[in-house]
Amino acid sequence: MIRDVRPAGTRALLVTFDSLADVVAFHGGLDRAALTGVTEVVSGARTLLVRFDPGCTDTGRLRTRLDDVVPVAASGHTDGDPVVVPVTYDGEDLDAVAATTGMTTDELVAWHTGQVWTSAFCGFAPGFSYLTGTAPSLDLPRRDTSRTAVPSGSVALAGEFSAVYPRTSPCGWQLIGRTSVPMWSLDRDPPALAPAGTRLRFVAAARA
């Protein structure tokens, strides 16, 4: 599970894993463990940065406590209901993705809506969450040519991930739909709808 742990300054540990699945599972276990002194956990594709209050713990004690964390598989993240995101499945690449995967468009929509997604980590833009699902990945390639801009709320697939674009952005992912749910809003606390560890479920809205 854990491949390496090393100090990151005087107030954090950088924990390295072999896979993204290990990161997500360990993050879930860390949330449940609620270790004394931990103030923030920042996810990456293969790492967790665990920040702590040196008045409550130190690198040695925290490193020892990490050994007691029990990872939680994606299907075991059952604390609270998933955030529901309604999607209109009329994306420009929907038909092409269905053809690539050997599905009908209805089957592709059923695949996307028929699983729980977990925010593995955030990046690229504020509110952009890299979502991993509980169903087998389609491992889709990115587009050969990126679009210079896609609208806020565009729902997309690439590799093992799904995502919702929080604002108008360049995009090389495959577009399958759109949602009106804001992924980033300064009127919320936290502003991101899906910080790392958040569970989501997409539901199909009426198609255009």
Side-chain angles (χ1 to χ4, degrees):
M1 173 64 71
I2 294 178
R3 184 170 56 179
D4 181 59
V5 181
R6 63 186 62 191
T10 59
R11 295 171 177 263
L13 291 175
L14 184 67
V15 189
T16 304
F17 301 85
D18 289 323
S19 70
L20 178 59
D22 287 346
V23 173
V24 174
F26 196 85
H27 193 173
L30 197 57
D31 286 344
R32 290 189 177 184
L35 300 184
T36 300
V38 173
T39 58
E40 185 181 20
V41 180
V42 182
S43 292
R46 295 292 184 274
T47 60
L48 287 175
L49 181 70
V50 184
R51 292 194 173 109
F52 62 86
D53 179 353
C56 299
T57 190
D58 55 40
T59 54
R61 281 187 287 172
L62 183 56
R63 174 64 183 89
T64 300
R65 293 298 308 280
L66 291 179
D67 290 335
D68 298 328
V69 172
V70 178
V72 179
S75 59
H77 288 264
T78 57
D79 297 337
D81 295 328
V83 175
V84 175
V85 179
V87 176
T88 301
Y89 287 94
D90 60 357
E92 295 177 47
D93 301 315
L94 183 67
D95 291 339
V97 170
T100 298
T101 59
M103 297 180 179
T104 65
T105 55
D106 287 343
E107 288 171 340
L108 178 59
V109 170
W111 171 85
H112 196 246
T113 58
Q115 58 185 303
V116 175
W117 296 83
T118 299
S119 174
F121 61 97
C122 301
F124 175 65
F128 189 98
S129 301
Y130 290 79
L131 307 173
T132 57
T134 51
S137 169
L138 299 180
D139 197 22
L140 285 169
R142 292 167 57 93
R143 287 174 50 85
D144 292 336
T145 303
S146 296
R147 295 181 171 94
T148 56
V150 298
S152 171
S154 296
V155 179
L157 299 169
E160 63 187 292
F161 301 108
S162 186
V164 180
Y165 280 77
R167 64 185 185 190
T168 301
S169 309
C171 171
W173 290 29
Q174 309 279 358
L175 300 183
I176 62 170
R178 54 192 166 88
T179 182
S180 60
V181 175
M183 299 301 291
W184 177 264
S185 172
L186 294 178
D187 295 330
R188 282 195 304 249
D189 184 20
L193 180 68
T198 304
R199 297 160 63 245
L200 295 90
R201 184 179 291 279
F202 295 105
V203 297
R207 292 181 62 181

